Amino acid sequence: LFYDSSKPGLLQKLAEIEREHLEECISSQHVLLEGQYIMEVLLVQGPVQRLRALTNRMLACKGVSSGGLTLTSKLIPQLHGR
């Protein structure tokens, strides 16, 4: 995900979306780019429909310039019992 961190309310909106998808969001990494731009990489796991919904919601935020979802059939071992 590439976005302009100077857009008012964007960081809060993205964090809110991630919090709503806590079961899917495993980890995230932020890389500071030139100017006010940030590259955020999210490691997610879960049902494809939920991952696509998460991606679409984040991409629809004003200030997000690009991003995408890459899928694989490989799973991360479960860390905690459900």
Side-chain angles (χ1 to χ4, degrees), residues 5-64:
S5 64
S6 69
K7 291 290 181 185
L10 179 59
L11 298 176
Q12 291 80 7
K13 182 64 177 171
L14 293 174
E16 176 184 307
I17 294 169
E18 286 181 46
R19 281 190 205 98
E20 291 173 8
H21 290 270
L22 279 179
E23 289 188 12
E24 290 80 30
C25 292
I26 309 289
S27 177
S28 67
Q29 181 175 14
H30 297 80
V31 178
L32 302 177
L33 303 174
E34 292 180 320
Q36 299 296 316
Y37 286 90
I38 293 178
M39 177 179 70
E40 180 174 357
V41 179
L42 290 169
L43 177 60
V44 295
Q45 180 170 287
V48 172
Q49 300 87 346
R50 288 198 47 90
L51 301 181
R52 286 194 174 126
L54 166 63
T55 302
N56 291 338
R57 284 188 65 200
M58 295 182 100
L59 288 173
C61 292
K62 199 169 203 98
V64 173

Side-chain angles (χ1 to χ4, degrees), residues 69-80:
L69 175 65
T70 301
L71 299 171
T72 180
S73 61
K74 307 304 179 230
L75 296 175
I76 299 168
Q78 188 171 354
L79 298 175
H80 306 286

